[in-house]
Every structure is written in structure tokens, then in C-alpha cells.
Amino acid sequence: MSNDTQTIHDITNQDYKYGFVTDVEMEIAPKGLSENIVRLISNKKNEPEFLLEFRLKAYRHWLTMKQPKWQNVNFPEINYQDIIYYAAPKQKKKLESLDELDPEIRSTFEKLGISLDEQKKLSGVAVDAVFDSVSVATTFREKLGELGIIFCSFSEAVKNHPELVKKYLGSVVPYTDNYFAALNSAVFSDGSFCFIPKGVRCPMELSTYFRMNASETGQFERTLIIAEDKSYVSYLEGCTAPMRDKNQLHAAVVELVALDHATIKYSTVQNWYPGDKNGKGGIYNFVTKRGKCAGVSSKISWTQVETGSAITWKYPSCILYGDNSIGEFYSVAITNNWQQADTGTKMIHVGENTRSTVISKGISAGHGQNAYRGLIKIMKNATGARNYTQCDSLLLGNQCGAHTFPYIEVKNPTAKIEHEATTSKISEDQLFYLRQRGISSENAVSIIVNGFCKQVLKQLPMEFAVEAQKLLGVSLEGSVG
Amino acid sequence: MLEIKNLSVSVDNKQILNGLNLSVKAGEVHAIMGPNGSGKSTLAHILAGKPGYEIIGGEIIYQGKNLLAMEPELRACEGIFLAFQYPVEISGVNNLYFLKEAYNAIRRHRAEKALDAMDFLKLAKEKMKLVELNESFFNRNVNEGFSGGEKKRNEIFQMAILDPTLAILDETDSGLDIDALKTVASGVNHLRNEKKAIILVTHYQRLLDYIKPDFVHVLAQGKIIKSGDATLALRLEEEGYSWALEKENARA
Ligand SMILES: Nc1ncnc2c1ncn2[C@@H]1O[C@H](COP(=O)(O)OP(=O)(O)O)[C@@H](O)[C@H]1O
Ligand SMILES: [Mg+2]
């Protein structure tokens, strides 16, 4: 092993620093999934009838489905009866203010660098903190309320704005969409909801922080974002989980709806526990994310930095329904050690003059396997549609892999589609150049990788960009050859 | 400062250096000349610690330490700088950011406080004048899309900032027009003082019109076959390397 390989090894094998467990009293449903469990979840949350119906229909549909097999990732059969579908921190009574939050939970988020103290917050980021699928705190709610912005947990939205939930839930990702979306629709316990009224530009970043704590639970949260005409919102999502020997399932659904001239920017920094260096444990991150550019000249932009999880399997997508609407997908996915990723996007061009841009950066190290899978679909009426796709892979070492699966379906002859793809190994000459200037090999790898990802990272809001850069470095500790 | 003793090096089972000796003291400027493919870049790479070479024999002592046992970044932190013959492009990495990381890595090694972005910018602006680059270079990616001459100036700019103890310039003069050549020379002369040493690898006498070397060596057949003062370079220019080689072979 050369020196460089050794260092890359050392860097890649850095410990996962979010791996601690919080000791709070939990209310936990028995293991397994049945109609009774679905009813129990709905009942616990005092849900209206329409939602129970939605869940039951989803559950019954799920029973008829089979887990898909086409993905380029491998994992043992999941026993869905061996998962806990509801776990919530016990709260004696309803919180009147953030001060009453369980100090253990508060300190968990503090440890993760997320302050739930509104007063102490310097930056303009409103946070919804989700702990084991249950939203425990939402900050800056009143300030946003003055503008008519609703930012709250999904459960609260069901209580306070049932008409909005009823109208939009499942409108972008129907429960019939896929296996995991059906499962989520049946058992989701909480998540974030946000609604930006006509003409309002949301003055701060809205952010949800997901934390998986209980063992053997699945996390099934549901996010719904609606941007009315001429509104704008930037939304951030971050996630971590403790280190566990057993794999844990995370099957979320995110739905975005952008009406006329509205813009939604959705950024994710995903850092779920990736498993240990031998591939034991880690999160299965099987998520359905889709946005609908329903209105004319609307825009949805996905940015994701995927560094965690044992398996990442997701395709944040855009349905470009409104004429002149725009879809964007910027992605960095890192797989190190035994991590696997099959990720990409779908851009469905329905309206005229719709445009989409896809920039994907895959980085593989150790035994990591990284696949980009993307579909560009131009429908019959999408006259003047355009897509640009750029898909670059970087290999660190000899045992990892990069794969590209582009699919293109064109039903309108005026479509213009460009696709560029590259695969390269991290260059010894670049590494040596940086080291010759005094930079340690760990930092050299991190600098080169950050450079490789720059097009994507610069899409992130400032607060997140810095975090993401550090994460890239840490995720790769130990990886060039 | 630097003592190379009986150094033999091979790459891909092909021997390149074969018992090379060289001694460099603080305050000295050494020029190393030699035909194409004689191993000049190999020697420069070995001093900087580039992986991929096999040391078959010999040793290198730098400031009393066993240089060959040191990682490349440690050598850099201990004052060794290599101006590359072919500087590599690094896309997406901001030139100034990269240089700040390098500068601060070296400062931390010396237990000095790292400079923040503002102070570093001040330093960079000052050193920039020396090489006549303009500030747009700060925000470009490392060597990306630079012309040959710009790459070389960028190397000298980095050298000016990192302020090395032993600078090795590998054909920094090749492919430069006369103005660029003067710039490079003034960068080197600026660095020159009694505490530092410089090794100039060059093909041409013309650089030595601007940087007066204390010693000139001819590297051929894997070793230094001839050493002398600045007049040796003039002689080589007139008579070619074959002259030096013939003498060496006649001796052998
Ligand atoms: N990686 C390598 N593999 C095989 N041969 C090499 C390699 N690097 C250099 N060489 C050979 O070593 C010899 C010396 O090269 P180099 O040090 O670059 O010479 P110079 O700088 O004096 O022109 C040349 O014959 C060159 O082809
Ligand atoms: Mg050379």
C-alpha cells in the first residue's frame, strides 16, 4: 500500500461523530405491521377520518406490492414484521413553549449543533426538529406566522389546516407510486409542513433536522411544501442517527408543489449513520422525493449532499407541468467503505418550453458502489423542452465502482437534450502537488474532492455549504490509491 | 544544508540515477544542467518526496535529518519547495484558498498562528507585485486554463508566499519569453539570501544571465559528471553536452 493509500485509508475510517444515543422515555408500538398498527398510529395522533382512510388504502395497496429489484444495490431481505413503526418521546402534556421541551432532547440537538433557542440563534434559519419521526420543536413560528407562512410539524398541520393537507397530500406522490411510498403513506408518523402564501418571499431558511434515536424503529416522515403564486422558499434538511449494529429503514416521502411563478429550493445534507468500516449496520435510506412545477414559470431546485447511510436509493424528481417551468437537480453522493448509492433524478417535461438541468457528482472510495440513474422524459406536448445533464464520477482507490444509467424518452421532436459523463480517478499528481505545498494528504483529498463538487456545493445556502464541505472531508477520511 | 550521497533511483525497474552526489550549503545557488531524459526532474521529485520511485541506494541529509524518511508535506513544512516543470491543474479549487491552506499548514507546523483570510489577502497582494500577475489570478482555479507562462509565474508566486529554505526550480525558465524570464529571475533573486539555498534545473544558459549561480553541474548518465562555476554553463552552451560526456567517458 502506498503512503497515499494508507492515508486515504486512515481518513476514510474516521469515526462517525453523531453516533451517540439519547436516553429519553419513549412510547413504542409493538413490532410489526398490520391494519391494527395503522389504526393505532392514526388514533395516537387523533387524526381526522380522511387521513385514516388514506393510510388504510395505502396499507392495503402495499400488501399487493413487491419490493422492487431493479436497483444497483444489494441488501438482505427486509423483514417488515421486525420493525417498530411508531416510537415517540413521551411528553406529559402539550408543550406551551420551547422551554418545556425535555432537556435530554434539547441537549441532543445542541450536541448536533442545532440550537432550539430562538433567542440565541444568530442566523435566519427556522428549525423544525424531528426526533424519531415526531416533531418536537419548531422555532420562529410566530415571526413567520405574521407573513402568513405556515411552518409546523405535519401533525399540527393535520390539526390546524386539514383542508390544505387533504388537498395536497398524495397529489405529487400518490400512495400507489412505489413500494416505499405506499409503506410510508400507511405508517408515517410526522414530518414537516410548510405553506408559503401568494406573493410572499420567505425571509429565512426553513430547516428540518431529523434525528433517529430509538433502535429497531423505522423512520417514516412525511414532508409537504406548498408555494403559492409568486412565492419563494428555501428549505434545508439534515439528518443523523446513532450507531447501531442492525440496519434501520428510513422511508420518507417529500412532496413539493410550486404554483405560478413560485420557486422552491430544497437542499439536503444527508448524514445518516453509514455503518462501520466492515459494512455492519447503517441506515437504509429509501426515500421518495418529488416536486411538481404545477404553475407556469415555476421552479423547483433540488440540491443534495449524500454522505451517510449504508444504502442510499432515491431520485428527487420534477414534474414540469406548467409552461416555462424549470427543474434542477444538483447532487453529490459519496460512498466509502461498504456504502452503496443508487441515486439520480427524473425530469418529466410536460409543459412547453420547460427546462431542466442535472449535475451529478459521484465519489466512490473503499469498496463503495455509486450509481447515477436518471430519466429525462419529454412528453408529446412539451414543445421546446430542453435538458442538460452532466454526470461526473471520481474514484478513490481500486476496489470501488461508479456506474451510470441514463434513460431518455422523447415524444416531441423539438426537444434538445445534452448529456455529458466522465469518470476519473483521483490524480496522484494533484495529490502530490498539494502535499508538496505542505498540505496533509487528508486535507489534499478533501480539497480535491471539494473542488470536484464545487458546482453542486455552491448551490447550497451559506450555512449549509460550510458544514457540507467539512462532511465531505470527514466522509472520505482514508481514501486515495 | 543538503547532502546527497551516492543516490541511486529507479522507476518501473529502469534505473535513472546511479550514484549521484551533491552538496549544497546555505546561501548557495546551484544550477543543474543536462540532456533531456538525464534524470533532472527525477532528482527534483526525489527531493520533494514524490511517491512511485524506488530508492536503490544512497541517502539524503537535509538540515541534519534523513530526508528520505519524511513525508512530502513534512518536507514542505520544513522548507523544501519545488517549482514543478509541469504544474498540474486542479479544477474547482480556488488558487488563493489553496495557497492559504498551504501557507497556514506550514505556519502551524512552525507553531505560528494561522493567518485569517484578510491578513492573507494582504500578504498575497504584496507578493503578487513581484511576479506581475494580476489579482484575477486569486479567484481562478489552481492552474486551470493558465497559459504555460502563467503557470510558471504562479509557481514563483507560490514560492514567494511560502518563503522556502531550499527551493528547487525544475525548468521554470523553459518556454518563457524574455519578460517572463526576467520576472522569474527577479522572484528567485528576491528569495536569495545567506540562509537559503536554490537549485535551478535548466536547459539554457540564458536564465543564468539573470540569476548568477555559485555552481554549475552537469547531470548525465545518472550522476553529476562535471561541476564548475558559472563559466561552465557558458562552455556547455558553446560546445554542447557531448563535450562533457566525452570527457567523462574518456576518464572512465
Ligand atoms: N514513471 C516513469 N516510468 C518510466 N520511466 C520514467 C518515468 N519517469 C521518468 N522516466 C524516465 O526517466 C528518465 C529521466 O526522466 P526525467 O527525470 O524526467 O529527465 P529530465 O528531467 O532530465 O528530462 C527518462 O528516460 C524518462 O523517460
Ligand atoms: Mg525534466
Side-chain angles (χ1 to χ4, degrees), chain B residues 11-12 14 16 35-42 85:
Chain B
V11 59
D12 286 344
K14 178 181 164 194
I16 316 273
N36 267 330
S38 59
K40 303 183 297 296
S41 291
T42 302
Q85 183 174 5

Side-chain angles (χ1 to χ4, degrees), chain A residues 8-22:
Chain A
I8 287 156
H9 236 78
D10 298 343
I11 314 179
T12 332
N13 293 333
Q14 253 224 353
D15 288 341
Y16 182 75
K17 69 172 179 181
Y18 308 101
F20 59 90
V21 177
T22 307

